[in-house]
Amino acid sequence: MYHFRTATALSLTALLAACGSDNGSNPTVAAEPNLNLPQLSAASSGTLVNCADLTTRFTFANNTVASAEVVTAGALKLAGKDIPEHCLVKGSMYKRTGSDGKDYAIGYEMRMPKAWNGRFYYQGNGGLDGSVVTAMGNTGGGPVTGALLQGFAVISSDAGHTGAQTTAFGFEAQSRLDYGYQAVGKLTPMAKELIKSAYGRAADRSYIGGCSNGGRHTMVAMARYGDQYDGFLAGAPGYNLPKAAIANLWGAQQYNKLATAGATVVANGSPIPDLSTAFTNAERSYVAGRILAVCDGLDDATDGIVSDVAACQAKFNFDSDVATCTSTRDGKCLTAAQKAVVKGQYAGFTTSAGAMLYNKFWWDAGIAGAGWGTWKFVNSLALDPLAVGTVFRVPPAFIANPATDPLEPMVAQMSATNTTYTESGMSLMTPPNPADLKTLRDRGAKVMVYHGASDPIFSAADTATWYDALNGNNQNVAKQFARFFVVPSMGHCSGGPAVDQFDMLSSLVNWVEKGQAPDSVVATGRGAGNAGGANVEYPAEWNAARTRLLCPYPLVARYATGNIENASSFVCMK
């Protein structure tokens, strides 16, 4: 059953909301401030001049080119599409012997298409880095396209350490700094010069993007390297990554108190407590169902998607809308102890002094997703303790018992320094003054950020907090250079019971180079048969290729009229 407003009234309201500013024809609507930002020119195409001789002909300080070879069209594919012919250059920068006696370098690969669109893309990678991920220029969400496929020259790096060093690179001070932000600063000028050598001219426009830690790299670059890039595409940005990691570890400790004693699962080859016994799949599906029962129709369509996230937070009452078990757990209720833990998780980690460390999480139907459980119940004990212990705190040290060790001392250590580690974990990992982006703003650069409403590790509410601060610093019209898109029910970067396949890079290019601000982005479902791979959490009852509008925050995709499966039946409005 679908609910809808009168189409005429809805369309009129949507039109007024979409305008954003008044052209003088409506005297009752005040014109919004104009930041008078410059318009950047469009990139022009080019052709690769050389490839193989780059090993000897290209030189740059502190850089070694190890190989350069032509990759034929179709040797790489993305979402069933052939990647065109390109030049693959592999190399490294700043080779050195670290303070721990180990060899370090910033390893990279750069792929430069024969038929070039005149643009450069820095690919920020996820996790703790440590691997030179294939430089496809992935743009987030389900795989539908990438920068390399679109004709960009793309660089990818390991951020200054190898996979073999991942468990210990945080003990080496310079390696920490490279991972945090310096690898981007060192690689960027080299990559631009390599492009000049390969094409005979510089890139007209430069972009940087990534999801998760790649989104963090991008947001750090917004603050530190705003003069180097014209477009920034940040997905699920862990711009408060140290705080988010310790908050997730705190959550694991709360679930551990309720988990079945002695039950374990294996992660990274070692047993860890089976935290899923504290909040089972059936119980999470039940809670998701209760959220949908209260919030699904708030966007005027009962379709299994909570698009009006803000209204849902106001209307959904976890205490009363979720039943409390009066006897045994049967998947249709939660015990009082479970409710206290789950509610606390969504409210956010608060220290004993009453200070909130991180941020709240939004109630959303994606709580039922398998990816949600993996981050909360497995990665919280298998990944976060390593990062918190050895990369984010001073002095670094392995956490002996992640499920029980006190965390508040670690909170203080994230902001600490000493003579060896002269920058704190918070300093090296997070953007300085993230809500002050005057450098990129004033030169005409643009920002697009997207985040799944059900992201279990980096809170979409935290990203909204950032955007609200940015907006407040820019006369409440930050939308003139930066826009934030919430993806309903999407988990971390992709997945969840969500419509999660979209191309924001093309929208960003059109905004940067043509002045076409993205008033919405169309997202497609990844049901069975999807060329980029099916989303295993995509509800079977949905149309396999359902489309939806992703709207710039705080606007919401609301149903107007027409086929409920089509994005064209929705409008972005408050």
Side-chain angles (χ1 to χ4, degrees), residues 458-497:
F458 300 144
S459 166
D462 196 47
T463 302
T465 297
W466 159 77
Y467 189 82
D468 289 340
L470 180 71
N471 199 36
N473 285 345
N474 288 277
Q475 304 178 64
N476 293 320
V477 288
K479 66 180 182 180
Q480 293 180 15
F481 71 95
R483 298 195 178 191
F484 167 42
F485 295 79
V486 177
V487 187
S489 295
M490 188 174 82
H492 186 56
C493 291
S494 63

Side-chain angles (χ1 to χ4, degrees), residues 138-223:
N138 297 334
T139 57
V144 62
T145 187
L148 184 62
L149 186 63
Q150 294 184 19
F152 287 71
V154 182
I155 194 169
S156 169
S157 89
D158 59 14
H161 60 275
T162 66
Q165 297 166 330
T166 298
T167 59
F169 81 90
F171 290 91
E172 209 281 321
Q174 181 57 50
S175 189
R176 270 189 178 206
L177 294 171
D178 286 336
Y179 169 64
Y181 66 93
Q182 291 187 6
V184 174
K186 293 170 181 176
L187 287 168
T188 296
M190 182 281 298
K192 291 184 176 183
E193 287 300 316
L194 180 56
I195 286 172
K196 284 183 184 180
S197 186
Y199 292 103
R201 68 175 179 87
D204 296 312
R205 294 284 160 249
S206 297
Y207 296 78
I208 181 170
C211 197
S212 188
N213 180 56
R216 180 197 68 83
H217 279 305
T218 303
M219 286 197 71
V220 170
M222 291 179 200

Side-chain angles (χ1 to χ4, degrees), residues 403-429:
T404 57
D405 281 358
L407 297 179
E408 290 208 26
M410 302 180 198
V411 173
Q413 289 169 333
M414 289 192 302
S415 298
T417 62
N418 62 24
T419 56
T420 301
Y421 306 99
T422 57
E423 286 198 42
S424 70
M426 286 300 295
S427 174
L428 66 92
M429 291 297 296

Side-chain angles (χ1 to χ4, degrees), residues 248-270:
N248 203 40
L249 180 53
W250 169 78
Q253 294 190 349
Q254 308 315 301
Y255 284 121
N256 188 50
K257 296 174 184 177
L258 303 178
T260 301
T264 62
V265 294
V266 176
N268 296 333
S270 300

Side-chain angles (χ1 to χ4, degrees), residues 523-568:
T524 305
R526 290 189 291 132
N530 185 274
N535 171 9
V536 297
E537 299 176 286
Y538 192 77
E541 64 270 22
W542 292 4
N543 184 292
R546 168 182 280 190
T547 58
R548 282 292 183 273
L549 291 183
L550 302 180
C551 301
Y553 171 86
L555 302 185
V556 174
R558 298 192 183 280
Y559 177 70
T561 185
N563 188 339
I564 200 75
E565 299 298 339
N566 295 338
S568 59

Side-chain angles (χ1 to χ4, degrees), residues 93-115:
M93 293 194 76
Y94 291 90
K95 290 183 177 180
R96 62 188 177 83
T97 300
S99 58
D100 56 4
K102 299 177 181 178
D103 292 332
Y104 286 90
I106 304 171
Y108 68 85
E109 74 169 38
M110 189 156 188
R111 294 178 184 263
M112 297 177 286
K114 180 178 180 181

Side-chain angles (χ1 to χ4, degrees), residues 490-552:
M490 188 174 82
H492 186 56
C493 291
S494 63
V499 177
D500 71 339
Q501 189 173 60
F502 46 85
D503 172 20
M504 288 202 180
L505 181 57
S506 294
S507 296
L508 181 59
V509 169
N510 287 336
W511 193 13
V512 169
E513 301 180 22
K514 299 179 182 178
Q516 298 173 358
D519 292 327
S520 64
V521 173
V522 175
T524 305
R526 290 189 291 132
N530 185 274
N535 171 9
V536 297
E537 299 176 286
Y538 192 77
E541 64 270 22
W542 292 4
N543 184 292
R546 168 182 280 190
T547 58
R548 282 292 183 273
L549 291 183
L550 302 180
C551 301

